[in-house]
Amino acid sequence: MRTSTAARAGQYAALLAYLLFLAFPFLWLISTAFKPPRELGSLHPTWIPEDPTLANFRQAFDEQPLLHAALNSLLAALGAALIAVVIATPMAYVMARHRSRLTKAATGWVVVSQAFPFVLLIIPLFLVLKNLRLINSVPGLVMVYVVWSLPFALWMLAGYVRAVPVELEEAAAVDGAGRLRTLVSVTAPLLAPGIVATALFAFITAWNEFFFALVLLKTLEKQTLPVVLTHFIGAEGVADLGPLAAAAFLATLPSLVVFAIIQRRITGGMLAGAVKS
């Protein structure tokens, strides 16, 4: 009993330490965003600002078009999430329900494709978008984000499809429903947690993405929020720390808000009791 209690206490301590490790950068970012220049240059930094100010936020909005950049990021993230889910749902159903050499090869390719570095992909993607005249455009960036997030979305949704009892689809077939009707009316509603989780993954991935946006978007009015944040760093590599921290803090809020809104939907309990014994 003592060994079990000590082990559980050790697990909780390790979990708490891990949470503090994850939270430290975000907490320090918030603290920096509200510090005046005098405290930012202090040799003895403090966690809580002694003289908190909103001047960094005002300066950030005055120096850079953050709202326009946030709108570009929102359009790219929402578009990529919606298109990726629409494409991945039927494809994941086929991969999960029809096991063959072709689907096994497709699953293996999905896993292998995640190992490719971005540098190998950016040149062919740039040439394709150039031929389509989609360089320096949000729709072109959406296409890149869909291609980038689709493999993991397929792998993720296929696991949720396998968790749906086959007996439900067999019962729908007995009632005369076709394959498409079964997917839309029976399987898709039960996949709601998986679809929401996949859409959340695609949204946050596109919202935070920097490399593709930096290469493909040339003009300021087309750039996304992560790229605009780099404008707070001067030519000599000196960062305008206060406004940068304020803008970075605002950039993290949409992801947190989206997750807080839909986190209740990400649960595996929606299938409980779906199959009658």
Side-chain angles (χ1 to χ4, degrees):
M1 182 63 69
R2 291 181 179 178
T3 303
S4 177
T5 303
R8 178 164 297 184
Q11 292 174 353
Y12 282 124
L15 178 60
L16 179 60
Y18 183 64
L19 291 176
L20 292 176
F21 173 77
L22 294 178
F24 173 78
F26 185 66
L27 295 177
W28 190 256
L29 177 68
I30 297 175
S31 176
T32 304
F34 289 95
K35 287 181 178 179
R38 178 181 57 81
E39 293 187 39
L40 291 175
S42 175
L43 296 177
H44 303 284
T46 57
W47 274 97
I48 301 176
E50 298 177 358
D51 186 19
T53 178
L54 296 176
N56 292 326
F57 293 90
R58 290 192 294 266
Q59 185 178 347
F61 280 101
D62 290 339
E63 292 183 359
Q64 301 296 335
L66 295 181
L67 291 179
H68 189 73
L71 178 61
N72 291 337
S73 292
L74 182 63
L75 293 176
L78 287 178
L82 179 62
I83 297 174
V85 166
V86 170
I87 296 176
T89 301
M91 294 179 65
Y93 179 83
V94 173
M95 291 174 59
R97 286 290 188 257
H98 302 281
R99 305 296 295 174
S100 64
R101 292 182 179 179
L102 181 60
T103 57
K104 291 180 179 179
T107 303
W109 173 251
V110 165
V111 176
V112 172
S113 65
Q114 298 299 295
F116 290 162
F118 296 158
V119 178
L120 295 180
L121 302 177
I122 190 60
I123 295 178
L125 282 175
F126 185 89
L127 294 176
V128 170
L129 293 179
K130 181 180 179 181
N131 293 331
L132 295 175
R133 297 182 179 180
L134 290 176
I135 295 294
N136 193 36
S137 68
V138 175
L141 189 64
V142 170
M143 291 179 58
V144 173
Y145 287 164
V146 170
V147 173
W148 183 30
S149 61
L150 191 58
F152 187 82
L154 280 171
W155 177 81
M156 190 173 182
L157 275 176
Y160 279 94
V161 173
R162 295 188 187 99
V164 176
V166 181
E167 290 82 358
L168 293 175
E169 298 179 5
E170 294 175 348
V174 171
D175 292 337
R179 183 69 66 180
L180 180 60
R181 179 63 181 276
T182 301
L183 176 61
V184 174
S185 301
V186 178
T187 309
L190 296 175
L191 287 178
I195 292 175
V196 170
T198 304
L200 175 63
F201 160 79
F203 177 87
I204 294 179
T205 301
W207 178 269
N208 295 326
E209 200 280 324
F210 171 76
F211 180 70
F212 291 129
L214 177 66
V215 175
L216 300 176
L217 302 177
K218 301 301 181 181
T219 58
L220 182 60
E221 62 270 13
K222 298 293 184 179
Q223 290 178 346
T224 57
L225 196 54
V227 178
V228 171
L229 290 180
T230 62
H231 297 169
F232 291 100
I233 301 177
E236 298 180 356
V238 178
D240 198 355
L241 194 56
L244 175 59
F249 169 64
L250 294 177
T252 61
L253 290 181
S255 299
L256 297 178
V257 171
V258 169
F259 182 80
I261 292 175
I262 67 176
Q263 57 90 17
R264 294 183 180 180
R265 299 294 305 275
I266 306 176
T267 174
M270 293 187 66
L271 297 180
V275 181
K276 298 180 179 179
S277 58

